[in-house]
Structures are given as structure tokens and as C-alpha cells.
Amino acid sequence: MKLRTHLKSQEINKAADTADQGDISTNEHNDLQLQCIGKIVSPYTKRMGTPRQGALVPTGKGYIQLEIPIECVEGLELYSHAWVLFSFHANTDMPTAKADARGFKNLSKTKIRPPRGNGIKVGMLATRSPHRPNNIGLSLVKIVSVDKKGKRLHIAALDLVNGTPVYDVKPVVPWDEPGHFDGEKLKVPTWVSQDDELKSVEFSPSAREQMVKLVKDGKLAPVYSKKTGLDDAIKTIQEVLAQDPRASNTNTNKRGSESANKVYSILFASIEVQFRVDGDG
């Protein structure tokens, strides 16, 4: 027992020395290869229009089409929520990004301007930006059901682009919640907690008529069915637009600002949704 403890201490000290020297490229075991266990099927076909956080669009729904045996998720339906580990596969800078001396492709800019930061710059790891040293994301979703026959894990309140590769799914347990044991409240910067949600989102009569036809024609399948998908799809689109998905890199597109004379658009499933922001939002 003493010998084992001594060897373990040596390993810990050696790892600490290596980390202090900043040498992470010489140890091949530091790199990890992941295997895709499934892919996301969702109505969010582009990054623009995908919720920045799934909880902001609770009616949004989709599923993970599993590529592993369905027995792997047996019992998962007994939980209410799950963590989904995935890849930001839709990042536009990945093919052209140049690697630094240690092989990282996303460190040319270590600081970024968060969309809701009013121009401030913070370190990329102090944000939920998809542009990171490794393009890995972690998303909290609501578990709806497990379809054993179709090998599908149905989820809701998701913020995942259609086709997103999934690497792991873990059930959420009570002690995942900050403060579960010590009662300490979650702390975030003020720019994170600011509320810039639009006051209301309304469909024009013609847009609603078009939605009826589009759902009937199966244009929102497979997530939204012809029989029950209309109300769900309209509600989800309203929640997405309430978060004001306009790009915020210019003053004219500042979230929550009026742009009555300009029409914007997002893709939802296979349809294009056009919208504008009138009055005070």
C-alpha cells in the first residue's frame, strides 16, 4: 500500500511538472479521439435562428438518431433532463483556420465580443461561443421519450443545429445544480443576465395561412407531423423570434432595436421565415 501510494504521488508530481512547463504536445495520450454515437435531427437548419440556449425556447423539439445499440439508453427515460456532448460542426472557420505551434486552430483570437456584451471583449472560455480551442459543446436538454424501434431519443428545449454529431449523453442529477449542497447562488456577469427579449411576436394572417399549408404538405417533417405539428411549430417559431436572432455586430442590428423597414429571415426546417421588428419590439 505504501509503495502504491508513493508511485501515485510520483505520477501526480510528474503531471504537474509537465503542465507547469506548458508542454502538452509531447504526450500522445493527451489527445482524445471521439466516436459519434448519433446525430441531431432538429428544425434548426442554420446557426442563425438556432436558440442560444435551449431553455429559452422550451417548445423546441427534435431527437437524436442513435448509431449505437438502443440498449445503451435504456432507463434514460426515467430522468427529466440530460447533458449532450457534441461538436460545433457548423463552424465556418474550421476549414481555413491556421494551426499554431501546438496544433490549435482556434486561438488566433483569444478574446471575443459576446453578442450581448455591448462591445466588451472577454476570453473565449468566459463565453458560450462555439469558437473554442476544441469545437466541443455541452447542451442541457429535456428528455421526452425513447423510441426503441426507431432508435431515437426524443428531446425538447434544445439548441442544436440539425445534423450535429453527438458524442455522449449523460443524465442530469440533482447535484449538477449549483448550490445543491451549500446553497450558494449561481453567479454570472451582468451582460449574461440582461433581458432583451422582444415583447411579443405575431404572425400575419397570410403567414399563418402559409404555415397551415406547409405543415399539411409535410414541409416541417420529420419533427413536426401533419396532424399535430401546426400549433407546436408556430409556438416554437415565436419563441425563437422573441430572442431576436438578428446579427448584432452592427448598431443597426442591435438586438431589441427597431427595424421596421428591414426584413430579416431565418430557416426553420425547410421553410424560410421572414420577420421584421416594429415599434419598441
Side-chain angles (χ1 to χ4, degrees):
M1 179 64 70
K2 291 183 179 179
L3 178 59
R4 182 182 178 185
T5 303
H6 177 64
L7 290 175
K8 187 175 182 180
S9 298
Q10 284 184 332
E11 292 174 358
I12 293 175
N13 292 334
K14 182 178 179 181
D17 291 341
T18 302
D20 290 340
Q21 295 170 5
D23 184 7
I24 64 173
S25 60
T26 58
N27 188 349
E28 61 181 6
H29 299 294
N30 286 323
D31 292 333
L32 176 65
Q33 284 189 326
L34 301 178
Q35 290 182 301
C36 178
I37 66 169
K39 290 189 176 180
I40 294 293
V41 177
S42 82
Y44 311 125
T45 51
K46 296 290 184 180
R47 291 181 305 164
M48 182 177 177
T50 299
R52 70 180 191 274
Q53 296 297 322
L56 297 174
V57 183
T59 64
K61 60 183 182 179
Y63 58 85
I64 302 175
Q65 184 65 58
L66 297 168
E67 299 176 6
I68 56 176
I70 191 64
E71 289 79 11
C72 292
V73 297
E74 185 174 343
L76 195 58
E77 71 277 5
L78 301 178
Y79 296 86
S80 63
H81 293 77
W83 298 106
V84 177
L85 186 70
F86 65 95
S87 169
F88 289 106
H89 75 300
N91 280 1
T92 56
D93 61 342
M94 290 301 294
T96 58
K98 294 182 179 180
D100 65 9
R102 291 189 292 183
F104 287 109
K105 290 187 175 182
N106 285 347
L107 292 182
S108 58
K109 294 182 179 180
T110 56
K111 289 189 174 183
I112 62 173
R113 289 187 172 89
R116 286 167 169 78
N118 292 322
I120 66 169
K121 274 191 173 185
V122 296
M124 63 164 61
L125 296 186
T127 74
R128 303 296 292 267
S129 169
H131 304 288
R132 321 182 70 78
N134 294 295
N135 61 327
I136 298 296
L138 183 67
S139 184
L140 177 67
V141 301
K142 182 178 180 181
I143 297 173
V144 177
S145 64
V146 174
D147 176 7
K148 293 183 178 180
K149 186 176 181 180
K151 293 184 65 175
R152 295 173 177 177
L153 174 61
H154 289 270
I155 56 179
L158 67 159
D159 55 356
L160 300 164
V161 178
N162 187 59
T164 294
V166 174
Y167 299 117
D168 199 8
V169 177
K170 298 181 184 295
V172 175
V173 291
W175 41 91
D176 282 347
E177 181 181 355
H180 176 75
F181 291 111
D182 56 15
E184 185 175 350
K185 292 184 178 180
L186 185 67
K187 178 183 177 181
V188 298
T190 54
W191 61 265
V192 172
S193 57
Q194 70 175 351
D195 182 12
D196 54 7
E197 182 174 330
L198 299 179
K199 293 182 179 179
S200 64
V201 177
E202 299 179 0
F203 273 66
S204 66
S206 60
R208 188 173 289 272
E209 290 178 7
Q210 291 177 50
M211 279 294 295
V212 172
K213 185 178 186 305
L214 289 168
V215 172
K216 185 178 180 180
D217 292 343
K219 298 299 184 181
L220 277 73
V223 177
Y224 297 94
S225 68
K226 297 180 181 181
K227 293 183 178 180
T228 62
L230 178 62
D231 291 340
D232 290 345
I234 289 178
K235 182 62 177 175
T236 300
I237 292 173
Q238 288 176 323
E239 290 175 351
V240 169
L241 295 182
Q243 298 304 316
D244 197 353
R246 294 176 294 172
S248 60
N249 55 354
T250 65
N251 291 331
T252 56
N253 287 358
K254 186 177 180 181
R255 285 186 170 95
S257 64
E258 180 181 354
S259 61
N261 296 324
K262 189 169 183 178
V263 177
Y264 298 87
S265 66
I266 61 171
L267 289 179
F268 187 82
S270 62
I271 67 174
E272 181 181 0
V273 179
Q274 296 185 337
F275 68 97
R276 63 185 186 187
V277 180
D278 298 333
D280 57 358

